[in-house]
Structures are given as structure tokens and as C-alpha cells.
Amino acid sequence: MIAVIGLVLGILVGLVFSPDVPPAFQPYLPIAVVAALDALFGGVRAQLEGVFNDRVFITSFLSNVVVAALLVFLGDQLGVGSQLSTAVVVVLGIRIFSNAASIRRAIFKA
Amino acid sequence: MDEKTGPAGDDDAAAGREGEKHHHHRHASGAPSTPRSGAGSGARNKGWGTRSHLLVALLCALLGFAIVVQVRQTRSDEFALLRQDDLVRLLDEITIRNDQLESEQAQLTLDRNDLRSGADAQAVAERNAEVQGILAGTVPVEGPGVDLLVREQGRVVPASAWVNLVEELRNAGAEAIEIDGVRVGASTWFSDVDGGVVVDGVALTSPVTVLAIGDPQTIDVALQIPGGALATLRTNDALTTLDSRERVEILAVRDLTPPREASPAPEDAASSG
């Protein structure tokens, strides 16, 4: 519940202030957002399955974001930034999908 | 212990079994003698739980914030998500397009200037035609000038003397010259024939009237120069009478034959238009 409140609060803050992304972060923010979404879906799934753990959520959230950003950074340095970004997004997308499927099963029992 | 729980104890008995901590916690207030370890671990867990909950909320807030910012960014800047090589390609295309547009603009500017000057091109053309008509001798002219009467005395004045006279007049700034009814132009020629001189195919008969339009004073001085045109005429025994006039009319005109060989060079045609 508090997580939902935080999410809404963050969206509101973002809407109110609508800051510009610093150019240095621009390539990494979308990937970081997708990684965080993956962590969020994982958290929701764990919550529904009754195995939610704050510590696991926080750790997975932060590590997801950092690893995704690092991968993109590394890809940019190696000249395969766009391909690696795509790869990261694909992998995270698959994970989000499987988590969403689990959530669906937990909610609708189907 | 159980006696002190009161009426709520019945509910608790069923639910309480699920967690020892929970049980202990319920009774912490009722029983001060409860071991501190139980309450302590509960407080520690609760503290960690609150903090981690706040952290979770913070992370979720961060996520929501980032999502909104990113969406805004993507909407506001269509190039934000493009990679470097895509941007370079775009820049190249824009540069090429820019060059094309610039050359097109230069062409259009030229066209516009042409059209704009075309408005008074008619007037310019008329003025040009007038000036060129005067210079070429195709239009009658009038203005200040001199009237020279040449009377031959027995001897024929040779063609060279007439050419000399025309050159002197031109040097003195005469803009139109007529000799014995023949308008002098660029292609005028003199020729010695038996018993006289022919100018442009017309024989000169004494007395010859020479009309010239130009500054009378300048022409007068130029012709009177010792050893000049008049002197040459006199050495050929001719009598000369030179009059300066406010108004001289030269009504004779030349017929221009279109040039057969010469044609305007393209650059000249463009610049003179």
C-alpha cells in the first residue's frame, strides 16, 4: 500500500516539477526505468505469493537499475550501445511479462 | 498470563498461534515482566520494517518520478532516444537539404531581382535605345554645336583631310556629325575618287557644310589648333568658315545594316540588359 502511495506521490512530483533530464543521464534513464519496472513487477508478484521481502525488493530494485545503466554505458563505450540497450529491454520485457503472468495467475487464479 | 488478557483473549487464542512475536507483542503492555528480548526483537523488526517500507515507498516514488520525467522527455524531444549514428545521419541529411535550399534561395533571389528590375526595364531600354540611336546616328538630333562651311578653291580636298576633320571633331567631344547631308557614324568611310571625294557613297560637292553637335567652344578651339583640322583644309586651298551656334539641327540619319559576323557575347548581353 505504501508502495502505491509512493508511486503516486512520485508521479505527482514529476508532473508538478517536470524537470529536464541532464544530458549525461539521458541514455540511461529509459533503461533504468524499465529495470525498475521489472523490480516493481517482481515485488508485486512476491507480495501476491506471500513471499515479499523489503530487503529483496530494495536490493533487486537498485541492482537492476545499476546493472542496466552499466550495461548501456558499457555498450556505448564499446560502440554497441543501441544493440545492448535493445537486448536489456528485451530481457527485462520478458521478465516483466512472466511476472505479469504470475500476478495474473495469483489474482484471477487462471 | 492468560487470565489478564481479558475478553479479547478468545480471538487472540486462535490468531495468536500464527506468530510468537505477535503473541508476545500483544502482552507486552499487559505484562511488564515479559522478557525484554521478545519486545526488543519486535521493536527492531518494526523499526527495520518501517524503514524498509519507507525505502520501498521512496524507490516507488523515484520510479514514478522517473517514468513521468522520461515520458515528458520523450514527448518533448523526438531526438532524445536516437543513437549517435542516427543523429549523425540526420544531421547529414539536414545539411544536404540546407545546401539545396540555400542554392534554391540564391536562384530565387536572382529571379526576383530580375523581375523587379524588369518593371523599369522598359524605361531603361528606351533610354538605351535613344542614347545608342544618337551615337549610331539613327535618330535626328539637335543641340549646341558648330557649323563649318568648307569651300574648295580649285583643288580637291583629299579624303585624308576629311578623316582628319572628323577625328578632330570626335576628339573634341562632338556627339553627332553631319557632312554635306551625310550623317557620320562608326562605319563612315571617305574615299578619293576621280575629281572628288566620296563619303559613304555620296560625292562631296563644294561648298561642303559640316555640322557637329557638342560643346561649341571646345570644338572651336580644337579645330583652330595650329596644324590641326582647319589648317589641313587650308593647306589644301580650301576656305573655311566656322560658326558656333546655340542650336544645330542634324536631321540626316543612317540606315543600320545588321551585323553579319558579330553577335553579342552572352555575358555582355546579360549585363547590359
Side-chain angles (χ1 to χ4, degrees), chain B residues 232-244:
Chain B
T232 309
L233 288 172
R234 287 190 205 110
T235 55
N236 288 293
D237 295 342
L239 296 178
T240 59
T241 314
L242 185 60
D243 285 329
S244 293

Side-chain angles (χ1 to χ4, degrees), chain B residues 70-129:
Chain B
Q70 181 58 32
V71 168
R72 284 271 173 100
Q73 183 81 18
T74 309
R75 273 189 198 161
S76 67
D77 187 359
E78 55 176 319
F79 303 118
L81 291 178
L82 292 179
R83 312 299 310 178
Q84 193 170 357
D85 36 0
D86 291 338
L87 289 172
V88 169
R89 190 173 44 75
L90 262 179
L91 191 62
D92 282 350
E93 285 174 1
I94 289 172
T95 309
I96 291 171
R97 181 85 183 119
N98 200 24
D99 288 349
Q100 286 175 349
L101 286 176
E102 264 176 11
S103 61
E104 194 181 330
Q105 186 207 22
Q107 184 58 47
L108 287 174
T109 308
L110 277 179
D111 288 354
R112 187 197 60 184
N113 289 343
D114 282 355
L115 289 173
R116 189 175 281 169
S117 64
D120 50 10
Q122 183 77 17
V124 171
E126 279 172 8
R127 207 170 59 234
N128 278 345

Side-chain angles (χ1 to χ4, degrees), chain B residues 174-209:
Chain B
E175 289 164 355
I177 301 167
E178 182 188 313
I179 296 178
D180 207 16
V182 175
R183 181 75 171 267
V184 176
S187 59
T188 296
W189 53 271
F190 295 87
S191 180
D192 290 315
V193 293
D194 283 345
V197 171
V198 173
V199 51
D200 280 354
V202 178
L204 294 182
T205 52
S206 181
V208 177
T209 306

Side-chain angles (χ1 to χ4, degrees), chain A residues 7 12 17 34 54 57 95:
Chain A
L7 197 61
L12 285 180
F17 291 103
V34 174
D54 292 345
F57 175 75
R95 285 176 49 128

